[in-house]
Amino acid sequence: MSDTPFGFGLPPEEPENGDEGKKKDPAGGGQGSGGNPFGANPFGFGGLPGMGGPGGANNPFAAMFGNLNPNDLGAAFQQLGQMLSYEGGPVNWDMAKQIARQVVAQGTADGVKDASVGPAEKSAVEEAVRLADLWLDQVTSLPSGAGTAVAWSRAEWVEATLPAWQQLVDPVAERVGSAMGDVLPQEMQAMAGPLIGMMRSMGGAMFGQQIGQAVGALAGEVVGSTDVGLPLGPAGRAALLPLNIEAFGKDLGVPSDEVRLYLALREAAHQRLFAHVPWLRAHLFGAVEGYARGIKVDTSKLEEAVGQLDPTHPEQLQEALQQGMFQPEDTPEQKAALARLETALALVEGWVDAVVHEAAKSRLTSADALRETLRRRRASGGPAEQTFATLIGLELRPRRLRDAARLWASLTDARGVDGRDGLWEHPDMLPTATDLDDPDGFVHREHLDFSELDKMLGEAAKGEGPEDGDAEK
């Protein structure tokens, strides 16, 4: 996966005929660098004129398309046709879904292929989520948010989470897509209508390719629907991926049922938070949209690419995109939105970390080890963070997660479960980024303030003011 946001690239093509897909000529349409069946050139245009391609001197078709066999040539034209015919929004989501499914079908780097979830795995997930909810009832005042518990294959995770990815990515893609038509002088835009339309179509397809690759790769590593700290799945549905849970716990030396149960606790805790804090989802997704509004496009690079663009060689635009043309700039708007998002995500993950640890520490012998494993996974820039950064240009700060977990634990000690969870009633009541730097100060300050508020609310509920109370005495 490219480190630069919007570093678009085509995914490997899924073989249609089993082993036959492995027998392609490596010099022609076989697997090239990065697993691309079209080699380093994503559109299969090998041996361009003047580039000394094989057979270019005598065969004009070979000069243009290199040694592609007919199957690869057809696939190349099909991909190109999809790119040029797309007329939808800023992202070709049909292409994204298709490519994500192809990536999933190919399996992960360790050779593990996706598989349908069997009855025994479904039952194990349902039982783990049910037990997790019972344990969480004792450590949080928020009721269960999981109406159902489901076990997903990787392909099912892709299908279920694409609507959320669309909400996250479209604002960024819209801003970038509009820039593609703005680089020409206004008097030329009417004359260049077909070119602008082609560019936007290709941009939507290229976004679809990049997102499909990223989501497909992420599907091979996530263990549930909330790994990125955002509600990616349908509301009220706690989901776990048995195949990925098995891979996650493979080398930990922890019984598989404990690994499953600990991850079920985390999934169920996220579901409670998103189900019973109605403003939270809009707050998080709104921060992403705010970030997108602040994106600036390097128009000089885009102008240069448009000036040199040859419609017969659309791969030139892809190469320009891969050079970081759309690298977001640090504007004040983006910094403010990023700060809001990072703090909110830290508070979500910190709360989940704290309540799950409280529920598991006396029941699971491996609770401490599993907690630290997951923390390190996040701190080392795990797959969720990398995918998030690639798709949207946002990088999370795992350091804040530990700070937030410590703050929530301190609040529990000082104010109890109800006092801690009551802070989720309104975003203005939550700790800020500054408070994460001084959790003890926040706990002490908020404890005093909320005690006075509780007293006032209690007196109001009884229908008596301070004077009435004194009179009764």
Side-chain angles (χ1 to χ4, degrees):
M1 190 184 307
S2 172
D3 290 334
T4 57
F6 324 120
F8 308 94
L10 282 169
E13 184 72 12
E14 180 181 5
E16 296 182 356
N17 300 317
D19 292 338
E20 291 183 9
K22 303 177 182 178
K23 298 177 181 179
K24 297 176 181 178
D25 179 9
Q31 295 289 341
S33 61
N36 188 345
F38 306 141
N41 188 325
F43 295 91
F45 297 148
L48 291 171
M51 296 179 63
N58 301 318
N59 187 334
F61 290 100
M64 181 171 290
F65 299 113
N67 290 334
L68 287 176
N69 64 37
N71 289 337
D72 285 344
L73 182 58
F77 276 121
Q78 183 179 14
Q79 291 274 12
L80 181 58
Q82 287 179 323
M83 296 179 74
L84 297 180
S85 63
Y86 176 67
E87 297 180 351
V91 177
N92 187 332
W93 286 102
D94 290 336
M95 178 174 286
K97 177 180 175 180
Q98 174 188 353
I99 290 174
R101 293 293 299 263
Q102 290 176 357
V103 173
V104 165
Q106 290 171 351
T108 50
D110 57 4
V112 178
K113 300 281 187 177
D114 192 22
S116 299
V117 179
E121 292 171 318
K122 291 181 180 179
S123 178
V125 167
E126 291 171 356
E127 177 61 22
V129 173
R130 184 194 67 79
L131 184 56
D133 263 334
L134 289 176
W135 291 2
L136 290 172
D137 284 339
Q138 302 173 36
V139 296
T140 175
S141 61
L142 299 180
S144 173
T148 58
V150 294
W152 283 341
S153 66
R154 294 166 179 170
E156 288 172 326
W157 183 89
V158 168
E159 296 277 354
T161 62
L162 272 180
W165 288 117
Q166 183 171 356
Q167 187 175 352
L168 285 166
V169 175
D170 269 351
V172 180
E174 181 68 41
R175 178 67 187 89
V176 172
S178 64
M180 297 182 74
D182 295 341
V183 296
L184 295 176
Q186 187 171 3
E187 61 273 13
M188 294 181 59
Q189 290 188 16
M191 298 175 58
L195 176 60
I196 294 175
M198 183 187 74
M199 290 175 60
R200 286 178 173 166
S201 295
M202 292 175 62
M206 289 176 182
F207 264 109
Q209 292 165 2
Q210 178 76 355
I211 293 163
Q213 283 184 302
V215 172
L218 186 58
E221 301 185 43
V222 295
V223 296
S225 70
T226 55
D227 284 39
V228 298
L230 294 171
L232 295 180
R237 188 174 300 175
L240 295 175
L241 283 71
L243 185 62
N244 292 355
I245 290 176
E246 180 182 355
F248 171 80
K250 183 178 179 181
D251 299 320
L252 297 181
V254 177
S256 59
D257 56 340
E258 286 199 23
V259 174
R260 184 190 308 110
L261 185 49
Y262 191 86
L263 296 176
L265 281 165
R266 290 184 53 84
E267 177 74 10
H270 278 103
Q271 294 295 333
R272 288 181 182 234
L273 202 54
F274 290 121
H276 300 292
V277 182
W279 55 265
L280 184 55
R281 179 187 175 96
H283 181 73
L284 292 169
F285 282 66
V288 174
E289 293 176 5
Y291 178 85
R293 286 194 296 269
I295 282 182
K296 303 296 181 183
V297 179
D298 188 342
T299 55
S300 63
K301 287 187 178 180
L302 189 54
E303 289 172 355
E304 182 181 355
V306 171
Q308 299 177 355
L309 181 63
D310 182 349
T312 63
H313 299 314
E315 75 277 7
Q316 291 177 358
L317 182 57
Q318 168 120 354
E319 293 171 357
L321 293 170
Q322 290 175 329
Q323 294 172 3
M325 178 190 303
F326 301 134
Q327 183 70 38
E329 297 178 357
D330 289 333
T331 64
E333 295 85 357
Q334 284 179 298
K335 289 180 178 179
L338 182 59
R340 289 197 304 272
L341 180 62
E342 287 178 339
T343 300
L345 286 173
L347 292 173
V348 168
E349 291 295 276
W351 184 88
V352 168
D353 181 274
V355 299
V356 167
H357 182 67
E358 186 66 23
K361 65 182 181 180
S362 62
R363 297 181 174 97
L364 298 178
T365 57
S366 57
D368 288 337
L370 289 169
R371 183 190 200 188
E372 189 59 28
T373 296
L374 285 165
R375 282 181 165 185
R376 290 182 178 180
R377 191 186 194 204
R378 298 297 297 272
S380 62
E385 288 79 11
Q386 293 171 2
T387 297
F388 204 64
T390 300
L391 295 184
I392 310 174
L394 299 175
E395 292 185 2
L396 308 182
R397 296 180 182 175
R399 176 181 61 85
R400 302 272 77 183
L401 304 184
R402 292 181 183 267
D403 296 337
R406 185 167 62 252
L407 184 147
W408 289 118
S410 298
L411 280 169
T412 307
D413 294 338
R415 302 203 55 227
V417 168
D418 291 341
R420 177 200 67 199
D421 294 346
L423 292 177
W424 289 105
E425 292 180 3
H426 192 277
D428 291 343
M429 298 168 65
L430 288 176
T432 64
T434 302
D435 294 323
L436 292 180
D437 295 327
D438 182 22
D440 293 336
F442 175 83
V443 171
H444 181 68
R445 182 175 66 255
E446 290 297 316
H447 178 58
L448 293 177
D449 292 344
F450 274 76
S451 294
E452 289 298 317
L453 179 60
D454 290 342
K455 181 180 178 181
M456 293 173 61
L457 292 176
E459 291 171 347
K462 294 176 182 178
E464 58 179 24
E467 296 180 358
D468 295 333
D470 294 339
E472 291 178 2
K473 295 178 181 178

